[in-house]
Amino acid sequence: MATASMLVKVPVSVDADKCIASKGCTVCVDVCPLDVLVIDINNGVALMQYDECWYCTPCEVDCPTHALTVDIPYLVK
Amino acid sequence: MSAEYAEKEVDILVVGGGTAGPMAAIRAKEANPRLNVMLIEKANVKRSGAISMGMDGLNNAVIPGHATPEQYVREITIANDGIVNQKAILAYASNSFQMIQRLDKWGVKFEKDETGEFAVKKVHHLGNYVLPMPEGHNVKKILYRLLRKNRVDVTNRYKVTRVAVGQNHRVSGVMAVDTRTAELVFIKAKSVIICTGAAGRLGLPSSGYLFGTYENPTNAGDGYAMAYHAGAELSGIECFQINPLIKDYNGPACAYVTGPLGGYTANAHGERFIECDYWSGQMMLEFFRELEGGNGPVFLKVNHLAEETISTIENILHTNERPSRGRFHEGRGTNYRQDMIEMHISEIGLCSGHSASGIWVNERAETTIPGLYAAGDVACVPHNYMLGAFVYGEIAGLEAVKYCENMSADKTDSDFMAHESERILRPLKRKSGITPYQAEYKIRRLVNDYLQPPKVTKKMELGLRRFSEIRDDLNDLWADCPHNLLRAMEVHDILDCAEMAAVSSLYRTESRWGLYHYRVDYPEKEDDWLCHVQLYKDGEGQMACKKIPIEPYIFEPDAGDVQAYERLRIVARDML
């Protein structure tokens, strides 16, 4: 069974200059109810890996450096 | 081949760390600190469940001087069209005020007047039950602090897949999978409390975005499925949840916040068409008719209010419960000062917090399986809302403590673990197949096509046929990582809930609860159906339903009050 991947614009964006994941912070990954965020090990910055967002905003509100912004998903906007 | 799984043992296992779950765990530990109480959660207890970002108000506060338990029981009996176990409603109502006082003492902020009294507002048809929480954003933080203080064993990022029943037909534990590593664990428990919330990923939102649901989409109906497979009875599944909401944003508008401040639900002409904004099936039917009719669609109207009032509304709606409401409006250029806000109805879900679908429980939160309790949106105590989740969480926690004190854990047959381990890990073992995303999308699209009210017999039968085809397809479900395995396991829960919704709706051959169970080919409400419909797994493993009578009412509803709920439409508008 063959599969394909489809690119989508995701609602959570991360300001790499502000993100302190490289210092060990995982607050956004920890609080996300849908578990859609990961730390990108290549550059030590948080990343939205799965397009499964409820735009509920704990990641944005709890981020200690205000590095995350939650937008409304394009399909909902 | 049998997969490896770890084993743990606790006294009380609470499944789900949203609203009812933390309360159950905290109150159980407070009652008996020696018991080993674990709270297991699919997300992270800090920010999980329906109140992840707090709550903007209590919808059903029974506060002396404003309402009595008796009055509340009568009101909910009527609002749920007579299908209630009044003892269970009364247990909530009698404990409502002490729970508000407890939460108040813990630091949860409720609106108070200048004398320090709770500032109760009127939204319901008959009594006064709404208590705003303009600063209600810190509820989860307070619960988390108390979980820590009471040394509850908090286990995050595990999905419980099945509840085990032991050789003596008592609950004996659960199987769970780590959502980040796919490691399995069997947790032996004397008592299990299911607090997994609504089945919110059942219908497909009109936006088409799978996770843009009314409910927190982590609530995929896991608890309904695990109770069913364990052999517990469920009730009122055919009484779907459908809510009024901001179109596309798909969150509450929210009439309970705006109503007491002068806002109301209006049609395209800006005119009221219902007398009361309290959510009931009857109200939703009028909402649906206006939406589909020539005066539709429907709007929330606040643009006639003073600047000061609008600012207050914005402050509550944009900082609490669903704070991204503000940025949604901003994106569309909607300003409450000038514009009415377009509304719609939600996709269907199962949720006793708003309507009545749930695991059958009595006034002690006991299910039909000894040692298994349920509380919150997943437990059948109609119109229970957040405060009901807290009250029943407490009841379940305290009852589980009493149960555990005299009981040893039942022994689970090891076949259960072997079979369940194999079922869980199957999608990971494949190298390709149907993705959870595709399977879920298809099930939920079919739910909209065939189950969304108005309900039609033939459509629901077709739906069941398609669901059974998809059940075969689930053998090909493929997960390439533990995260997608979580989604794959949820697909099973969603399909179970879809089948339950169809089977119980077909069984009840009448119409009741307004839009929630409006069957076009059985349009009338029938006295023969003034009973509960229980859904369960029969001896052959098939989904079955049966009627059970309603216990004699403690408080007979007043005939005049019944009519008040049936005559919600404003007549003058119909004449135009």
Side-chain angles (χ1 to χ4, degrees):
Chain A
M1 226 178 280
T3 53
S5 62
M6 188 170 63
L7 294 181
V8 291
K9 180 183 182 295
V10 293
V12 177
S13 51
V14 183
D15 184 336
D17 294 336
K18 290 185 185 166
C19 179
I20 52 167
S22 60
K23 297 192 173 77
C25 178
T26 58
V27 168
C28 60
V29 176
D30 292 343
V31 297
C32 176
L34 279 309
D35 210 11
V36 300
L37 301 168
V38 296
I39 306 298
D40 184 343
I41 44 165
N42 297 316
N43 59 3
V45 172
L47 168 77
M48 182 166 171
Q49 176 147 300
Y50 304 95
D51 184 25
E52 302 167 340
C53 182
W54 196 43
Y55 31 104
C56 55
T57 72
C59 57
E60 180 183 307
V61 174
D62 295 346
C63 173
T65 60
H66 309 290
L68 271 82
T69 312
V70 179
D71 200 358
I72 305 291
Y74 182 70
L75 288 183
V76 174
K77 215 166 177 171
Chain B
M1 184 186 69
S2 86
E4 293 286 311
Y5 58 88
E7 286 190 76
K8 285 189 180 176
E9 186 170 351
V10 299
D11 294 305
I12 299 174
L13 180 71
V14 183
V15 185
T19 311
M23 182 61 72
I26 292 164
R27 297 292 288 133
K29 277 300 259 190
E30 284 182 345
N32 186 346
R34 292 187 313 280
L35 291 179
N36 190 350
V37 178
M38 181 190 278
L39 176 60
I40 193 165
E41 162 62 46
K42 196 161 67 169
N44 185 310
V45 172
K46 280 185 186 166
R47 287 295 195 183
S48 59
I51 61 165
S52 143
M53 290 298 285
M55 185 46 75
D56 53 25
L58 298 178
N59 297 336
N60 53 349
V62 184
I63 297 180
H66 299 280
T68 63
E70 176 179 338
Q71 188 182 24
Y72 179 80
V73 171
R74 286 207 170 97
E75 177 115 25
I76 298 305
T77 303
I78 301 167
N80 206 48
D81 242 338
I83 314 292
V84 293
N85 172 7
Q86 282 198 342
K87 271 191 203 157
I89 308 283
L90 183 61
Y92 160 72
S94 314
N95 283 290
S96 171
F97 186 52
Q98 66 88 8
M99 180 53 71
I100 296 169
Q101 290 174 307
R102 183 181 303 281
L103 294 166
D104 186 52
K105 200 172 83 187
W106 285 353
V108 176
K109 293 231 169 68
F110 300 102
E111 189 167 315
K112 292 181 181 167
D113 64 18
E114 58 279 7
T115 65
E117 299 288 334
F118 294 116
V120 179
K121 315 281 183 196
K122 183 169 176 68
V123 173
H124 291 58
H125 222 77
L126 306 170
N128 304 326
Y129 308 101
V130 170
L131 178 57
M133 301 168 64
E135 295 171 75
H137 45 76
N138 61 352
V139 184
K140 289 294 287 184
K141 289 209 165 88
I142 291 167
L143 292 172
Y144 193 71
R145 206 160 57 221
L146 283 146
L147 286 167
R148 285 292 175 220
K149 185 182 155 204
N150 286 288
R151 296 169 189 274
V152 172
D153 176 2
V154 174
T155 303
N156 290 315
R157 304 290 175 193
Y158 270 86
K159 182 197 172 358
V160 173
T161 60
R162 288 282 187 267
V163 170
V165 176
Q167 292 163 352
N168 299 307
H169 310 290
R170 292 187 273 120
V171 82
S172 59
V174 307
M175 198 67 166
V177 56
D178 185 318
T179 66
R180 293 197 173 154
T181 64
E183 286 166 309
L184 304 178
V185 61
F186 179 75
I187 306 166
K188 190 174 166 183
K190 289 180 188 171
S191 173
V192 173
I193 305 174
I194 300 179
C195 306
T196 48
R201 260 160 56 211
L202 187 54
L204 185 67
S206 45
S207 68
Y209 190 65
L210 272 188
F211 290 76
T213 47
Y214 176 83
E215 290 289 341
N216 184 330
T218 49
N219 296 340
D222 313 37
Y224 292 81
M226 65 180 89
Y228 169 74
H229 288 290
E233 286 178 20
L234 295 100
S235 191
I237 300 295
E238 69 280 17
C239 179
F240 295 172
Q241 167 184 233
I242 304 167
N243 292 326
L245 42 74
I246 299 167
K247 187 171 183 300
D248 297 334
Y249 178 76
N250 225 4
C254 165
Y256 297 174
V257 170
T258 56
L261 295 168
Y264 57 87
T265 308
N267 59 22
H269 308 293
E271 291 158 346
R272 285 178 198 263
F273 61 95
I274 40 175
E275 289 186 1
C276 166
D277 279 325
Y278 179 65
W279 295 357
S280 62
Q282 297 89 325
M283 181 272 196
M284 278 309 305
L285 185 57
E286 295 304 343
F287 193 112
F288 172 74
R289 283 177 177 150
E290 201 73 0
L291 199 58
E292 301 290 313
N295 295 320
V298 174
F299 297 86
L300 175 70
K301 183 169 163 53
V302 293
N303 58 5
H304 56 290
L305 301 176
E307 168 60 32
E308 195 182 29
T309 313
I310 292 178
S311 299
T312 305
I313 291 172
E314 282 179 336
N315 185 44
I316 301 171
L317 292 185
H318 303 168
T319 60
N320 261 307
E321 194 183 350
R322 299 297 308 275
S324 55
R325 278 182 279 223
R327 64 192 74 172
F328 172 77
H329 291 315
E330 204 179 307
R332 294 211 173 168
T334 308
N335 187 321
Y336 287 9
R337 284 151 195 83
Q338 284 98 44
D339 308 302
M340 297 200 297
I341 300 134
E342 187 183 356
M343 294 180 72
H344 199 69
I345 58 176
S346 69
E347 67 282 358
I348 69 161
L350 307 178
C351 173
S352 192
H354 295 99
S355 54
S357 313
I359 303 166
W360 178 252
V361 291
N362 62 14
E363 65 278 15
R364 292 181 296 280
E366 294 166 338
T367 69
T368 52
I369 297 174
L372 183 65
Y373 299 81
D377 283 346
V378 75
C380 180
V381 183
H383 297 234
N384 223 6
Y385 291 99
M386 179 182 75
L387 194 58
F390 281 135
V391 166
Y392 264 87
E394 172 177 66
I395 293 173
L398 297 178
E399 290 293 332
V401 167
K402 279 194 257 171
Y403 176 88
C404 283
E405 284 169 346
N406 311 308
M407 204 62 87
S408 57
D410 201 353
K411 191 166 165 35
T412 312
D413 204 328
S414 60
D415 282 358
F416 170 87
M417 284 80 128
H419 181 264
E420 185 56 7
S421 303
E422 198 277 326
R423 186 183 78 95
I424 295 171
L425 295 179
R426 202 181 306 151
L428 272 185
K429 298 217 165 96
R430 298 180 60 90
K431 295 289 170 244
S432 66
I434 297 165
T435 64
Y437 170 80
Q438 287 177 302
E440 177 170 343
Y441 195 96
K442 190 160 175 173
I443 297 165
R444 293 173 58 190
R445 192 266 296 177
L446 293 171
V447 165
N448 281 20
D449 287 353
Y450 294 118
L451 304 187
Q452 176 90 24
K455 300 176 185 176
V456 177
T457 301
K458 188 66 190 171
K459 282 191 188 176
M460 292 192 285
E461 288 169 356
L462 285 167
L464 274 176
R465 202 158 82 204
R466 303 300 308 279
F467 296 148
S468 113
E469 291 159 9
I470 293 176
R471 193 166 288 284
D472 294 336
D473 295 343
L474 293 192
N475 292 322
D476 297 330
L477 212 51
W478 167 53
D480 60 343
C481 63
H483 179 86
N484 285 331
L485 179 65
L486 159 68
R487 296 288 175 246
M489 297 319 292
E490 289 173 338
V491 166
H492 286 272
D493 299 335
I494 294 166
L495 184 60
D496 286 340
C497 288
E499 279 193 6
M500 287 190 237
V503 167
S504 56
S505 292
L506 279 166
Y507 186 77
R508 186 181 278 279
T509 49
E510 63 151 1
S511 287
R512 193 173 288 270
W513 303 295
L515 187 61
Y516 301 164
H517 186 64
Y518 175 36
R519 287 190 74 170
V520 182
D521 37 356
Y522 296 95
E524 300 300 324
K525 188 157 82 178
E526 308 286 350
D527 287 345
D528 292 357
W529 283 103
L530 190 64
C531 61
H532 303 283
V533 168
Q534 309 296 96
L535 181 140
Y536 62 100
K537 191 189 259 190
D538 71 13
E540 275 81 55
Q542 298 299 308
M543 203 174 275
C545 288
K546 65 179 179 188
K547 289 180 174 186
I548 62 164
I550 292 169
E551 293 267 322
Y553 288 149
I554 308 164
F555 307 115
E556 201 61 44
D558 181 79
D561 293 346
V562 175
Q563 285 181 350
Y565 265 86
E566 283 172 356
R567 282 202 227 110
L568 281 177
R569 176 162 282 270
I570 293 174
V571 180
R573 181 65 225 165
D574 276 346
M575 301 297 181
L576 295 174

